Amino acid sequence: MDLDLLRTFLAVHRAGSLTGAAPSLGLSQPTVTAQVRALEVELGQQLFVRRARGVTPTSAADELAARIAPHVDALAAVAVGDDPFAAPVHLAGPAELTTVRVLPALAGLVASGLKLRVTFGLADDLLAGLSQRRFDLVVSTIRPRGRGLTATPLTDEEFVLVGQRGFDGDPRTAPLVAYAEDLPIIRRYWRSVLGVRPPAGPSVVVPDLRGVLTCVLAGFGVSVLPRYLCAAELASGDLVALLDPVEPPINTLFAVTRAEPCRAGPAAVRDALLADAARW
């Protein structure tokens, strides 16, 4: 079996996209597509289902990736020699935290030659991708269960109930701006701080906490946000904290890798995040 085909297959499996895998391979997207098809013909199995955005691996692809990844990675490590940044590091995490905190913490490594490939998503999906070797490191808002993954605590994010500058109503009855229809963050805050469920569903749903922040600043209603995301607006007075609980709700963030020796590149990323997280 052609090693180049396996290397291309593994890159697509990890990237979740033919187009996304091409830059890390130094190939054009049509070449990547042709190589994946050649491997499917050679194996007599479909490896990916083409979607409007990216590809979804079949069970045969997941099994093949699990079998070959350690060996392909080991060969790549031999090929790059002593350069820890010769191979790209595939990093994944929630869009807001990764954008606001994680990526700035890696500026020094990028200046030193680190190549990053970043994926956003929900914790459960990203941890599954880490187990399937699509990623090298995941910044997770939940601790992974079971064996096979190692979680190192990064920091605790604190949640705060916020409203627009000058808000003088009752936050318990104000319109709610939420990340999702089922109010995951707001519901936890209400139960923890107020001891009740939120009285109503959201007025506005934005599946990005940065969008939620924008809506609260615009006066759409109140919401619960991680303090790191709105610290500047709280400091400037554009947002106000509507309650000051003695013990605000917190959530622990983790740097998660596979429970095996970590390559030099991902290890450097993990160590940089651990060093920087004390400021978060």
Side-chain angles (χ1 to χ4, degrees), residues 1-13 18 31-48 50 58 60-65 67-68 72:
M1 196 175 294
D2 190 320
L3 179 59
D4 286 337
L5 298 186
L6 293 177
R7 186 181 296 113
T8 297
F9 156 76
L10 191 59
V12 173
H13 190 271
L18 297 164
T31 300
V32 172
T33 301
Q35 290 190 358
V36 169
R37 287 176 176 165
L39 183 59
E40 289 179 323
V41 170
E42 186 171 341
L43 295 174
Q45 292 179 308
Q46 183 178 8
L47 297 174
F48 298 103
R50 278 66 173 177
T58 63
D62 288 338
E63 180 183 357
L64 177 62
R67 287 169 52 202
I68 70 168
V72 173

Side-chain angles (χ1 to χ4, degrees), residues 79-135:
V80 301
D82 295 329
D83 184 357
F85 298 149
V89 173
H90 294 263
L91 170 71
E96 304 89 349
L97 177 69
T98 304
T99 300
V100 176
R101 284 288 185 257
V102 172
L103 292 178
L106 302 178
L109 291 181
V110 172
S112 298
L114 171 69
K115 303 178 187 67
L116 271 180
R117 303 294 182 264
V118 180
T119 299
F120 298 144
L122 299 177
D124 286 333
D125 296 335
L126 298 181
L127 292 172
L130 179 62
S131 296
Q132 297 162 1
R133 298 183 176 271
R134 294 204 296 270
F135 312 120

Side-chain angles (χ1 to χ4, degrees), residues 160-232:
V160 56
L161 176 62
V162 295
Q164 184 189 39
R165 180 198 297 266
F167 179 88
D168 60 359
D170 184 349
R172 297 166 180 81
T173 59
L176 297 175
V177 182
Y179 177 84
E181 195 71 41
D182 61 348
L183 307 172
I185 301 174
I186 293 173
R187 188 176 66 250
R188 179 183 174 190
Y189 188 97
W190 247 248
R191 285 177 170 173
S192 175
V193 175
L194 303 175
V196 297
R197 292 176 58 87
S203 295
V204 179
V205 175
V206 185
D208 187 304
L209 291 176
R210 293 163 296 183
V212 172
L213 171 61
T214 298
C215 290
V216 176
L217 288 168
F220 286 22
V222 304
S223 192
V224 177
L225 291 170
R227 185 174 288 276
Y228 77 81
L229 190 63
C230 57

Side-chain angles (χ1 to χ4, degrees), residues 131 146-150 257-260:
S131 296
R147 300 178 180 178
L149 299 178
T150 298
T257 56
R258 287 182 293 278
E260 61 187 42

Side-chain angles (χ1 to χ4, degrees), residues 91-94 97 102 123 127 130 137-144 150-157 251-257 270 273-274 277 280:
L91 170 71
L97 177 69
V102 172
L127 292 172
L130 179 62
L137 185 149
V138 168
V139 177
S140 176
T141 55
I142 61 175
R143 182 188 288 274
T150 298
T152 304
L154 281 174
T155 189
D156 292 331
E157 58 179 353
N251 186 56
T252 302
L253 306 171
F254 299 91
V256 188
T257 56
R270 179 195 58 205
L273 293 179
L274 289 171
W280 300 358

